Amino acid sequence: MAYVNPSTNIVLIKNCILQKSVNDETDTLYFETLSDQANYFIGLPNKVVYSPTTYQNIKQGVMRIGKNMKELYGCNYMYFTNSNNVFENKTYYCFIDELKYINNNCTEVYYSIDYIQSFMFDFTEKTSLVERLTVQQD
């Protein structure tokens, strides 16, 4: 079996203004460029950086971090980049849903993908028209 060097960087952010809500599409930040987005998140204070780690599968929604749970209290947002040539080299932005104690040096982080931030520059918005009609009953 081939060995893949750990190259994923995980950053957990404490007290981030982005929070999971009913209106995820309206409660978000918009950026003009990918570098503006990256610079904003890099510039945020109160971060816990954990790297290098192994590849993170976005469909699992959970990862184990080799940190004591008390270091992660207050973290509500995170991002990670699977940055090996074997993988997609994409940054995924996520809401932290729950922290679970495993032992003194391990915490499980349950997360859900923030699709707006993660794929903001992967699609193009086009002009559209929404026509709304009501049906009248006699």
Side-chain angles (χ1 to χ4, degrees), residues 2-40:
Y3 176 76
V4 178
N5 287 328
S7 62
T8 298
N9 299 315
I10 301 170
V11 179
L12 291 90
I13 303 168
K14 294 181 180 183
N15 304 317
C16 182
I17 62 170
L18 291 173
Q19 296 183 14
K20 192 171 186 179
S21 68
V22 176
N23 296 320
D24 290 337
E25 67 278 356
T26 58
D27 297 338
T28 192
L29 299 172
Y30 291 95
F31 301 97
E32 293 293 322
T33 65
L34 188 62
S35 62
D36 288 346
Q37 182 188 42
N39 289 335
Y40 172 79

